[in-house]
Amino acid sequence: MTANEKTLIKFYTAFDNADASTMCECYHSKIEFRDPAFGLLKGNDVCQMWKMLIEKSKGNIKIEFSDIKADEYVGSAQWTATYNFSKTNRKVVNVIRAQFQFKDGLIKKHTDDFDIWKWSKQAFGITGYLLGWTGFFQQKIQQQALLSLKKHKQTKNAN
């Protein structure tokens, strides 16, 4: 097992244990994160996002991970998050493909990819089914996610 594979295992194990601080220890100070819900986040915003998501789940999030692969520079993983979406309390099972780039033994770039329409159908029910495939609805999801992050940072003085 490579050092970077161990870093990814540490990251996802911490996530499953709702330990955002340990997750953030795995990140380079110039981390860049991207996913369909938040778009591009950089630096401290990435850690604040994980802290917010863990807090909103109230510890009721299950993380399963597999297919951890990494060499000195790049890596990948499959992971599944099972939780109740805080806004609607609807159960979501989100299957995610993650890609990583490493620098100095830490995650420098983290990209999560998942089917946003499938996610929106679970999170929003019929509204997500009817509109979740549209660019307009996906943009609204991203705007709401970023607004939630902004509010979280303000309440935690985490800027």
Side-chain angles (χ1 to χ4, degrees), residues 19-118:
D19 181 357
S21 295
T22 299
M23 291 172 72
C24 292
E25 289 173 9
C26 299
Y27 280 145
H28 191 278
S29 62
K30 297 193 184 308
I31 180 66
E32 289 186 12
F33 173 86
R34 181 182 298 274
D35 84 347
F38 285 89
L40 177 64
L41 298 175
K42 295 181 180 183
N44 187 50
D45 283 355
V46 181
C47 289
Q48 292 305 317
M49 173 201 62
W50 293 124
K51 288 176 183 175
M52 177 186 76
L53 293 175
I54 288 170
E55 281 179 25
K56 283 187 175 210
S57 76
K58 298 181 177 121
N60 294 319
I61 186 168
K62 182 179 181 198
I63 304 299
E64 298 172 287
F65 58 93
S66 62
D67 295 331
I68 301 280
K69 296 181 181 99
D71 61 23
E72 189 178 345
Y73 304 104
V74 297
S76 62
Q78 291 281 122
W79 64 283
T80 303
T82 304
Y83 59 96
N84 286 349
F85 181 56
S86 61
K87 196 168 195 144
T88 61
N89 202 36
R90 294 176 60 90
K91 184 178 179 179
V92 172
V93 179
N94 197 13
V95 178
I96 300 146
R97 293 160 305 283
Q99 300 289 324
F100 302 92
Q101 291 178 11
F102 300 94
K103 183 176 181 182
D104 304 326
L106 297 169
I107 301 166
K108 173 84 165 62
K109 191 171 187 182
H110 177 177
T111 304
D112 280 348
D113 186 37
F114 58 88
D115 184 334
I116 191 78
W117 185 33
K118 187 173 183 181

